[in-house]
Amino acid sequence: MFSKKPADTAMVPPNPAGGLSKPMSSTFSVIGSDITIKGDVSATADLHIDGRVEGDIQCASLVQGEASTIQGKIEAETARLAGVVKGSITARELVVLQTARIEGDVHYEALTIEQGASVEGHFGMRGKKDGAAKAPVQPPKKVAFNDETLTPPTQGENGLDRISLPS
């Protein structure tokens, strides 16, 4: 009549939409708005940050809240940023929400930036780490546009796009 459920099937409180929630899982970690971490954070799980982190972050998936501040390098498979980031970002899929303020270089494979977001830094496609040979670098071609000559983007030594504008 009053039997205990095994510990591995503890249930999450019912969700607001109604119905039963799935069993609790240790694959999601939250850093609350009242928490400040000074040091690097490494997680194999998904990470949600509402507080402040002063250090590098490495995780599978990162969600940053609007009031959050991160000072350090971010490395994640997916990242959804809404707060302040001061440091470089490397992510396979990156979403920068309109409330985000980023100061640092951004490396990505897929990128979405909402109107109103602020990014001060360089953008570059995330390089492959398999050692594939790079295509030979061709000299940039000049293009005429509205009676001005522009040089198309070239890739710099660090893999970031460079654009030459007339002076």
Side-chain angles (χ1 to χ4, degrees):
M1 184 166 141
F2 294 106
S3 62
K4 289 185 177 180
K5 291 184 180 180
D8 61 341
T9 61
M11 298 299 282
V12 176
N15 62 36
L20 293 176
S21 298
K22 57 185 174 182
M24 289 175 54
S25 170
S26 63
T27 61
F28 189 80
S29 299
V30 177
I31 297 174
S33 60
D34 62 333
I35 297 175
T36 297
I37 295 178
K38 294 183 180 183
D40 296 345
V41 176
S42 179
T44 57
D46 297 346
L47 188 60
H48 184 107
I49 298 176
D50 285 324
R52 179 178 179 87
V53 176
E54 297 174 11
D56 297 342
I57 297 174
Q58 185 174 15
C59 61
S61 179
L62 174 65
V63 175
Q64 180 192 30
E66 290 182 22
S68 172
T69 300
I70 298 171
Q71 290 185 321
K73 178 175 62 173
I74 296 173
E75 291 183 17
E77 280 299 304
T78 62
R80 186 174 180 88
L81 307 176
V84 175
V85 176
K86 294 182 180 181
S88 66
I89 301 166
T90 302
R92 183 176 50 81
E93 292 181 28
L94 177 62
V95 177
V96 181
L97 301 176
Q98 69 181 30
T99 57
R101 302 292 174 255
I102 298 172
E103 295 178 23
D105 294 342
V106 178
H107 303 274
Y108 60 90
E109 287 182 25
L111 174 67
T112 302
I113 302 177
E114 287 186 351
Q115 184 175 354
S118 171
V119 180
E120 294 182 30
H122 295 98
F123 287 89
M125 294 294 290
R126 189 168 94 165
K128 294 183 179 181
K129 296 180 181 179
D130 60 0
K134 291 183 178 180
V137 177
Q138 301 291 328
K141 297 177 183 176
K142 303 274 184 180
V143 177
F145 180 75
N146 289 343
D147 297 328
E148 294 183 24
T149 302
L150 302 176
T151 303
T154 59
Q155 195 168 35
E157 292 176 13
N158 58 1
L160 300 176
D161 292 338
R162 303 286 183 216
I163 300 174
S164 301
L165 300 174
S167 38

